[in-house]
Amino acid sequence: MFVPFGIKDALDIFLVALFLYYVYRLMKMSGVFNLFVGVLAFMAIWVIITHILDLPLMGAILDKLVSVGAIILVILFQDEIRRFLVDIGSHRRWQFFARYFSLQKNPEKDTGYLTAIVLACMNMSRTKTGALIVIENGISLETYEKTGEKINAEIKTRLIENIFFKNSPLHDGAMIIAYGKIRSTGCVLPLSHNAHIPKELGLRHRAALGISQETDAKAIVVSEETGYISVAYQGQLNLRLSPESLEQFLSSPV
């Protein structure tokens, strides 16, 4: 029998496919993809037992579990759900509407300070000085700024190096840069629980990956053990970058 298929149906399928792809990418970046697959497998087993095989006893047990499944999923995927909502609420996703209705100005960002950051990372790499620098993009990092010391200083190469100097009281924690200023130092960041992070990488790399999973920030890490420069962005770690690659990465649009 012929089933009518229109533009609305095509749009519905496209949106579902887009949603599933986004969820897949989010779970893949968060390192809980196997857990997500396990949830899907459980749902498939529930459908087979209750609707296909029609096994009443086993179906009743699974029905009870599914009835509280929403609460269980919120507990299991609370970090991923939070990141999903924060990402949707990011003002950079609504800039088109804001510009259209003239609700906010969208001036070009001054990226001249990136050279100072790259030079500082290059110098700290030579001396194997550990550092963690987070550059804000569309999602505000104000919550994390409050965990450190606010300085609101101009971005200078020597200042960055002095802050991360081993005997400096602010060398532990992360430096947060926003609006062309060093906003805070010694900040506490969320740690990533991704099981695929190489064991030789330390807490700085986990913190960089963690903030990149929860926000759209770019996090630069200078390893204290090896001096290698790495960048975390969108839940991915880019290891052993040269100063040229770092500058190109930071200059690229988000």
Side-chain angles (χ1 to χ4, degrees), residues 113-186:
Y113 62 85
L114 295 180
T115 301
I117 297 175
V118 173
L119 287 175
C121 291
M122 183 173 62
N123 294 336
M124 291 186 293
S125 175
R126 290 199 192 102
T127 58
K128 293 185 178 180
T129 302
L132 175 54
I133 303 173
V134 182
I135 303 175
E136 178 183 298
N137 283 315
I139 299 176
S140 174
L141 300 178
E142 186 177 357
T143 301
Y144 305 104
E145 291 177 16
K146 295 177 180 178
T147 63
E149 297 291 333
K150 287 197 173 186
I151 60 175
N152 199 35
E154 295 289 335
I155 300 175
K156 303 294 183 181
T157 298
R158 293 302 183 191
L159 177 58
I160 295 175
E161 293 178 34
N162 287 335
I163 288 175
F164 286 110
F165 183 67
K166 294 179 181 179
N167 293 329
S168 169
L170 298 176
H171 79 282
D172 284 331
M175 172 187 292
I176 294 180
I177 292 177
Y179 302 104
K181 297 274 190 178
I182 300 176
R183 301 296 294 270
S184 294
T185 60

Side-chain angles (χ1 to χ4, degrees), residues 7 15 40 53 55 67 76 83 89 92 103 122 126 130 142 146 162-163 167 176-177 190 208 224 231 237 243 250 252:
I7 297 178
L15 291 177
L40 293 181
L53 299 180
L55 301 178
S67 64
L76 291 177
R83 186 188 172 208
R92 70 188 178 93
L103 295 177
M122 183 173 62
R126 290 199 192 102
E142 186 177 357
K146 295 177 180 178
N162 287 335
I163 288 175
N167 293 329
I176 294 180
I177 292 177
E224 191 172 356
V231 173
L237 265 176
L250 296 180
S252 62

Side-chain angles (χ1 to χ4, degrees), residues 24 27-28 30-41 77 195-196:
Y24 164 79
M27 295 300 168
K28 194 77 172 177
S30 302
V32 294
F33 182 68
N34 291 336
L35 181 60
F36 180 65
V37 171
V39 172
L40 293 181
F77 299 109
H196 301 292

Side-chain angles (χ1 to χ4, degrees), residues 2 8 14 37 48 64 73 77 85 101 124 128 134 137 139 161-162 180 192 195 202-203 207-210 217 219 239:
F2 177 74
K8 181 186 286 188
F14 171 76
V37 171
I48 292 173
K64 293 295 183 181
L73 290 179
F77 299 109
L85 295 176
F101 292 105
M124 291 186 293
K128 293 185 178 180
V134 182
N137 283 315
I139 299 176
E161 293 178 34
N162 287 335
S192 172
L203 289 178
L209 189 59
L239 302 173

Side-chain angles (χ1 to χ4, degrees), residues 27-84:
M27 295 300 168
K28 194 77 172 177
M29 289 191 302
S30 302
V32 294
F33 182 68
N34 291 336
L35 181 60
F36 180 65
V37 171
V39 172
L40 293 181
F42 175 81
M43 296 300 295
I45 293 173
W46 172 67
V47 170
I48 292 173
I49 290 178
T50 57
H51 297 284
I52 298 178
L53 299 180
D54 195 19
L55 301 178
L57 182 58
M58 193 64 188
I61 296 175
L62 293 180
D63 285 339
K64 293 295 183 181
L65 293 176
V66 171
S67 64
V68 295
I71 299 176
I72 296 175
L73 290 179
V74 169
I75 295 173
L76 291 177
F77 299 109
Q78 55 183 323
D79 293 336
E80 287 70 30
I81 293 173
R82 178 179 179 274
R83 186 188 172 208
F84 176 77

Side-chain angles (χ1 to χ4, degrees), residues 84-104:
F84 176 77
L85 295 176
V86 168
D87 198 25
I88 290 178
S90 171
H91 68 76
R92 70 188 178 93
R93 295 188 178 275
W94 309 104
Q95 284 179 357
F96 171 78
F97 299 101
R99 290 197 299 268
Y100 183 79
F101 292 105
S102 299
L103 295 177
Q104 68 179 26

